[in-house]
Amino acid sequence: MTGWPTVARKDIRGLIGSRTGKAGIAFVALVFVSGGYIVPTTTSDPTMTDYDGFIRGIALFLVPLFGLLLGYRAVVGERAAGRLTLTLSFPHSRADIVFGKMIGRGLVLFVTITVGILGGAALIEYPFGRVALDRLVSYLGATLLLGFAFLAVGIALSTLTASLRRATVFTFGLFFLFVVAWPQLTGFFLQGLEYLNLASDELPNWAVFVHGAEPSMLYKRVLDTYVSPNKLTSGAALGSAGPWYLQGGPAVWLLGCWILLPTIGGYLQFRRTDL
Amino acid sequence: MPPAIQIHDVTKRFGSFTAVDRVDLQIEQGEVFGFLGHNGAGKSTVINMLLDHIRPTAGDLAVFGADCQTDSVEARKHMGVLPDGYGVYSGLTGRQHVQFAMESKGVDGEPLNLLDRVGITEAADRAAEGYSKGMTQRMVFAMALVGEPDLLILDEPTSGLDPAGARSMREIILEENERGATVFFSSHILEQIEAVADRVGIMHQGQLAAVDTIGGLRDMAGGETRLLIATDNLEDPHIDAVEALDEVDKAGITDEGRLAVTCAKDTKMDVLLALDERGVEVLDLTTEEASLEDLFVEYTRRSE
């Protein structure tokens, strides 16, 4: 595995070189910056907590979508268009392709979100607000983790099939399931578990853990712990009163798993297929 | 010195379809090898297995001693490849494509020199997606030449090229061979293989029907030559005498009034001597050898 920097560099050049790529990147960064522009107009002495409160609803859709869109064509798009045939005619391994793309696109995601959030934070800080450094770092870190997780899932999906159309269907199906539907399913889980006599009135902690193990739910839990600790009512988080595995720390690790496992799974799948 | 390419008993099945059937082939360093066959005969499948784009169902392949599956990165370090069915990178110019090839091979150099060599200098800084088929083919050929590879693998290299482009590509192939590179290229067009290849392999329906030099293939497929002789005397007894010679298939008179003799290659002189003995003067002589096309048809028909 020595060719991944070359693959990553070429990937970044390609993303930045295309018009849709540039537009998408600019749009995401701009959303985060504009949050910092709008919050101070409605709140006096704004902080990162206000910023999070204002922008979380948007970020919960935008960041997963950005990650998935960056990832889902990474392998299958190149494969369907024959670009992988060209790349793999050079001394690159299959691992170079998967990890090079993960790192190249991860870097694009990193820069986009970092620039957007730092820009937003600067507008919060100046002239009247106050941005605590630890909250800013936590917010930035959590949002990056969320983005990387969906990027990894997107890249994993793109190794599963040779058909671009099928990959698109998988991706949007997954986006709908994870980001749109999953957080709303608390009631169904409760009814189901009650029917099985495993719960009464509210979800047991283990069920909250399972339900909350989806990346966007984990993201909420991390933010509720480290950025907006006064908001303890949202679905998966029970605050410091809950068991340890429902705290923010383990949620960070779980998000890390959402980055690692899909990447490795995607690589293993890709390694054994014919182009 | 390991052979440039060693293919040992390789089979590839896609479901119930056998694309490549027990192919054995060895190509020595420094050869120009032409891989001939109809579309769908299994040529690209063999090449894709050399590149590890697809994996053989059975058998193994090696390039300069490096196994193409278990050690495929090492194997591809020896190669410069013009693959079949590739696509170019969106958003990257021709120059950036060659630059990517250089980074991939770990060599320094000026991309423009290679683009110059294949004749698309003026398009170097345009996005490669906008290139014509022929320009794209030249650009990828330039990428294949990066780093003076030991082995050039060219899958239908002249497709999309005009005759002048095909000729200049042939010239570059010969230059590369002169430098010491082994060349393995596939084509369904016979003249191209005839023009540059030392040896030819004919793929037909997944099997390697024949491997030989072009001359050797001719001999094997009958090796017959047609002599067209202009003489001052075309009387029947002379013609009968020629036809009576050993190894002469038939002799007759063409529409243009020449003596046409179909015979084995090395009986040419016997025919001329026989005419001379009978006092017939030979004014002009042309020979027609069986074309590779004929051989190809012969071979593919025979192995059906």
Side-chain angles (χ1 to χ4, degrees), chain A residues 12-271:
Chain A
I12 294 172
R13 259 187 230 138
L15 276 175
I16 299 174
S18 85
R19 195 173 295 171
T20 33
K22 262 187 281 212
I25 289 164
F27 176 74
V28 173
L30 217 70
V31 167
F32 279 102
V33 173
S34 64
Y37 181 76
I38 294 168
V39 171
T41 62
T42 56
T43 319
S44 54
D45 307 332
T47 63
M48 277 314 281
T49 307
D50 297 312
Y51 180 74
D52 173 31
F54 174 76
I55 214 164
R56 189 186 291 189
I58 304 168
L60 272 173
F61 281 90
L62 188 66
V63 175
L65 194 63
F66 186 46
L68 282 175
L69 287 180
L70 272 179
Y72 89 102
R73 294 173 65 113
V75 177
V76 71
E78 300 241 302
R79 189 167 163 186
R83 290 179 211 130
L84 269 189
T85 304
L86 189 55
T87 309
L88 283 173
S89 296
F90 291 96
H92 299 299
S93 64
R94 304 275 176 116
D96 289 332
I97 303 288
V98 174
F99 296 109
K101 284 189 170 291
M102 183 70 197
I103 289 163
R105 284 164 196 241
L107 205 65
V108 169
L109 184 123
F110 174 85
V111 170
T112 308
I113 288 181
T114 305
V115 165
I117 288 178
L118 290 184
L123 290 172
I124 297 279
E125 167 87 18
Y126 181 84
F128 303 116
R130 230 188 58 234
V131 171
L133 193 63
D134 58 338
R135 294 260 163 105
L136 172 60
V137 170
S138 302
Y139 184 78
L140 180 59
T143 309
L144 286 174
L145 282 180
L146 179 68
F148 290 148
F150 276 96
L151 174 66
V153 170
I155 287 181
L157 284 179
S158 90
T159 62
L160 289 182
T161 168
S163 140
L164 190 54
R165 192 197 319 191
R166 207 171 297 162
T168 311
V169 171
F170 284 170
T171 304
F172 287 95
L174 186 115
F175 177 75
F176 183 79
L177 176 71
F178 270 25
V179 179
V180 182
W182 191 260
Q184 317 297 328
L185 292 179
T186 324
F188 284 96
F189 283 121
L190 186 57
Q191 278 182 354
L193 289 176
E194 277 176 347
Y195 181 75
L196 294 169
N197 272 331
L198 287 170
S200 57
D201 296 339
E202 61 181 20
L203 281 177
N205 283 342
W206 67 263
V208 173
F209 177 79
V210 171
H211 182 223
E214 177 274 323
S216 71
M217 303 276 283
L218 291 170
Y219 174 64
K220 283 190 233 172
R221 198 187 293 162
V222 174
L223 289 184
D224 286 344
T225 307
Y226 297 110
V227 180
S228 310
N230 53 336
K231 296 172 62 184
L232 291 178
T233 47
S234 65
L238 298 176
S240 50
W244 66 269
Y245 55 84
L246 292 181
Q247 304 294 324
V252 171
W253 288 105
L254 283 175
L255 269 179
C257 292
W258 274 104
I259 300 170
L260 220 57
L261 296 182
T263 310
I264 292 170
Y267 163 64
L268 292 176
Q269 162 66 21
F270 182 53
R271 190 180 60 173

Side-chain angles (χ1 to χ4, degrees), chain B residues 7-12 20-23 49 56 58-61:
Chain B
I7 297 173
H8 177 62
D9 203 17
V10 162
T11 296
K12 176 65 183 181
V20 171
D21 191 5
R22 291 161 296 168
V23 167
M49 285 190 283
D60 43 73
L61 308 90

Side-chain angles (χ1 to χ4, degrees), chain B residues 186-258:
Chain B
S186 78
S187 181
H188 63 279
I189 302 168
L190 304 144
E191 297 83 55
Q192 296 185 347
I193 291 204
E194 208 166 7
V196 290
D198 302 323
R199 281 202 305 155
V200 187
I202 296 179
M203 273 300 266
H204 186 63
Q205 295 182 343
Q207 292 183 329
L208 197 55
V211 184
D212 209 333
T213 60
I214 290 171
L217 280 180
R218 279 216 178 88
D219 290 344
M220 261 164 70
E224 298 214 311
T225 302
R226 211 161 96 99
L227 300 177
L228 288 173
I229 304 166
T231 63
D232 58 351
N233 189 336
L234 276 176
E235 283 162 17
D236 280 349
H238 301 312
I239 297 171
D240 292 342
V242 169
E243 195 155 26
L245 286 170
D246 278 350
E247 299 197 68
V248 170
D249 261 11
K250 59 177 191 267
I253 298 172
T254 66
D255 297 340
E256 298 92 44
R258 291 183 176 198

